[in-house]
Amino acid sequence: MTAQLIDRFQRTIEYVRLSVTDRCDLRCRYCLPEGYRDFQEPDTWLSFDEIERVVRAFTELGVARIRLTGGEPLTRRDLPTLAARLARLPGLDDLSLSTNAVQLKKYAADLHRAGVRRLNVSLDSLHADRFAAITGGGHLNKVLDGLMAAKAVGFSPIKLNMVVMRDVNDDEIEDMVRFSLEHGFTLRLIETMPLGETGRAATEQFVDLQKIRQRLAETFDLVPAVMPGGGPARYVQVAGTDLKIGFITPLSQHFCETCNRVRLAADGTLYLCLGQNDKVELRPLLRQGISNAELKRQIHAAIALKPERHEFKEQPRKIIRFMSSTGG
Ligand code: SAM
């Protein structure tokens, strides 16, 4: 078995986004419907032993980077224990976490000790009332406390992910730039994707980030920049500062030709593309007791199914899964 995962389009897969739960303690309007309760039962989630086994197989196939995500990963009990187990795997050199930071104050030190170094934190508004409206009742102060705790224990970089929505928060981007400058965070602006009913509805507030980039250039002196591990974001830097601003533009300028990732959902379904339905269910195979060699063969076979690109623009009604169930 070759060490590397290379798909039909010559893309090397070296990054897995690992969802540890589909549950979330927020209800962001573009992600989950208000009052949504239709979550998977915990016994359908992969156990820590199963997750470690799958991640080990991936690392033996050349995957060097894992991001813990969800749903909200901090709602999965004992997440730092899982993080510590994964961080020890040979070949894994980058373990990161995406979180809404609601519970981050409590877990920041344990996660850092476990070996998580890079953090992405969702933050769509710095106004408490707006934040509550966007997130279905979330408390901004908890998120800010979580961010400050993460900064204090030494996470670096800490990236803020802001989904930009017209007439919802698009007037706050300059403030978010200043906030990021003040605290040494990286800022990433994201276009809304038509994932599930909620995502589709939210694309009515779609903002083309190419225009936002031009707008920011009127206030800030922006120069092109690169960010290691920056994924699909295209970065600029505010001249004379350390602040990098990333633009994630799945709609206005897709980046599928450089896609290097797959997503493992909490129930063990391996999704080959965020915007397509191609998948392989690993949980039944694991529970039937397949060998490690067979597991790796299945992963190779899955990578062969990875589609060329998403069709968010051409077929916006296609993906019925919410972002939280695929693993954001
Ligand atoms: N709960 C964690 C968090 O908040 O980062 C991890 C999962 S969350 C689904 C991951 C990211 O997906 C968040 O930054 C969220 O804003 C983004 N997201 C969810 N639905 C989206 C959509 N329809 N379009 C664009 N981004 C979306």
Side-chain angles (χ1 to χ4, degrees), residues 28-229:
C28 298
R29 52 194 281 169
Y30 48 75
C31 190
L32 280 177
E34 210 181 329
Y36 181 80
R37 297 221 142 267
D38 199 12
F39 294 111
Q40 295 167 343
E41 288 307 314
D43 62 359
T44 67
W45 299 340
L46 296 190
S47 66
F48 284 2
D49 285 345
E50 289 167 333
I51 291 174
E52 186 177 339
R53 206 176 150 209
V54 176
V55 172
R56 185 185 293 275
F58 268 109
T59 57
E60 288 172 3
L61 293 167
V63 166
R65 301 170 55 200
I66 298 284
R67 173 171 295 278
L68 301 167
T69 182
E72 173 46 47
L74 297 184
T75 65
R76 175 99 187 229
R77 192 176 305 154
D78 291 335
L79 188 73
T81 305
L82 175 67
R85 287 175 66 169
L86 299 183
R88 280 196 289 271
L89 289 175
L92 188 77
D93 39 56
D94 178 21
L95 182 62
S96 59
L97 171 75
S98 282
T99 176
N100 60 28
V102 169
Q103 301 190 55
L104 188 56
K105 186 177 174 188
K106 184 166 153 200
Y107 292 115
D110 286 350
L111 288 164
H112 196 266
R113 212 171 296 123
V116 180
R117 287 292 172 271
R118 302 192 305 115
L119 268 191
N120 286 5
V121 172
S122 301
L123 184 60
D124 296 337
S125 176
L126 291 168
H127 298 294
D129 51 347
R130 257 191 205 182
F131 182 83
I134 295 170
T135 59
H139 296 285
L140 177 66
N141 58 341
K142 289 191 182 164
V143 175
L144 298 180
D145 287 351
L147 272 171
M148 297 313 142
K151 190 176 152 182
V153 297
F155 281 97
S156 177
I158 299 175
K159 297 181 189 165
L160 303 182
N161 281 343
M162 177 186 192
V163 176
V164 179
M165 293 162 278
R166 182 167 38 83
D167 298 335
V168 176
N169 63 354
D170 59 339
D171 58 343
E172 272 195 64
I173 302 170
E174 284 80 358
D175 285 347
M176 204 64 97
V177 170
R178 291 186 194 98
F179 177 76
S180 305
L181 265 173
E182 182 186 341
H183 292 287
F185 301 142
T186 297
L187 177 62
R188 306 198 319 162
L189 307 174
I190 305 178
E191 288 176 351
T192 320
M193 290 176 272
L195 300 168
E197 283 303 327
T198 39
R200 264 199 298 281
T203 52
E204 281 172 24
Q205 279 104 40
F206 174 76
V207 176
D208 180 339
L209 290 182
Q210 324 257 11
K211 300 210 169 84
I212 296 294
R213 184 178 168 151
Q214 290 159 13
R215 187 180 104 189
L216 287 178
E218 290 167 17
T219 309
F220 303 98
D221 185 7
L222 304 179
V223 293
V226 282
M227 180 94 186

Side-chain angles (χ1 to χ4, degrees), residues 271-288:
Y271 288 103
L272 287 319
C273 171
L274 185 59
Q276 298 282 9
N277 290 314
D278 307 82
K279 62 180 179 182
V280 169
E281 291 182 19
L282 295 180
R283 189 189 60 204
L285 305 173
L286 293 168
R287 295 194 181 168
Q288 279 156 23

